[in-house]
Amino acid sequence: ARFGAVMCCCGPCAMYRRSALLLLLDKYESQFFRGKPSDFGEDRHLTILMLKAGLQTEYVPDAIASTVVPDRLGPYLRQQLRWARSTFRDTLLALRLLPGLDRFLTLDVIGQNLGPLLLALSVLTGLAQFALTATVPWWTVLMIASMTIIRCSVVAIRTRQLRFLGFSLHTFINILLLLPLKAYA
């Protein structure tokens, strides 16, 4: 939001002006991807439609919302699969939109799509090194750990909440579960 737009207004946390929603309702209700009706990622899709129409999306830090979140692995992985598919699909819809937005948002969208690819490439390269030479790929491990710590530290400092350092543990979930899932998506 600091850069002029929110790229995905999450469903249970989003609120729209009725006039804006009516303007885009036909496009929103007829959401297709590769010729088939699409029933996932509707929040991201609606956000992109809003931005394409020249409307603004904003973050309101005082808003309070509640939603249901997965509490078991199966439903969590199904949620992540839906999110990965909508991210990839709606990135294609947003490409023409990005030049009119702040450059940081372009960098963020590229990072959301290329980040997992680069992480997967790093992991595969490290595994290949280990398999072929029986040596631990310390530089790969160090780079992944460094990038994780830097990213979590920036968030912890910007929010002034040390709990975000714990998000570095998500890297293991990302590598072991989410990367294969995103490849499948």
Side-chain angles (χ1 to χ4, degrees):
R2 290 180 187 221
F3 300 98
V6 175
M7 297 302 289
C8 180
C9 297
C10 300
C13 306
M15 183 181 289
Y16 299 95
R17 283 196 181 101
R18 187 172 195 264
S19 59
L21 197 54
L22 290 175
L23 178 73
L24 303 169
L25 196 54
D26 288 340
K27 289 181 183 177
Y28 176 64
E29 289 182 327
S30 59
Q31 183 180 354
F32 287 88
F33 182 66
R34 296 173 62 191
K36 296 179 183 177
S38 180
D39 61 352
F40 58 87
E42 65 283 345
D43 49 1
R44 184 179 295 273
H45 184 70
L46 183 56
T47 304
I48 298 298
L49 290 175
M50 292 279 177
L51 291 169
K52 281 178 126 176
L55 301 168
Q56 292 180 319
T57 55
E58 294 184 19
Y59 172 70
V60 179
D62 299 335
I64 297 172
S66 63
T67 186
V68 177
V69 297
D71 60 355
R72 293 188 332 260
L73 186 60
Y76 172 72
L77 292 176
R78 283 192 295 279
Q79 175 198 59
Q80 293 300 309
L81 179 62
R82 286 192 316 273
W83 287 2
R85 286 179 173 163
S86 71
T87 297
F88 297 146
R89 180 201 58 214
D90 288 320
T91 295
L92 295 174
L93 295 173
L95 287 178
R96 284 182 248 145
L97 172 70
L98 290 173
L101 299 174
D102 189 278
R103 290 182 191 156
F104 178 80
L105 294 171
T106 302
L107 180 64
D108 184 52
V109 168
I110 290 169
Q112 284 183 23
N113 288 277
L114 287 183
L117 178 66
L118 294 174
L119 180 59
L121 187 61
S122 298
V123 169
L124 290 174
T125 302
L127 289 173
Q129 177 184 331
F130 185 72
L132 296 172
T133 65
T135 60
V136 176
W138 290 114
W139 282 109
T140 302
V141 172
L142 182 63
M143 187 57 64
I144 291 172
S146 298
M147 295 302 292
T148 299
I149 291 168
I150 289 170
R151 183 175 184 199
C152 293
S153 296
V154 167
V155 173
I157 290 167
R158 296 218 25 158
T159 61
R160 294 185 178 99
Q161 296 182 32
L162 290 177
R163 66 188 177 106
F164 282 105
L165 293 175
F167 194 66
S168 58
L169 298 175
H170 186 265
T171 300
F172 298 111
I173 295 169
N174 200 2
I175 290 172
L176 299 174
L177 295 175
L178 299 182
L179 283 180
L181 188 87
K182 288 178 181 181
Y184 176 73

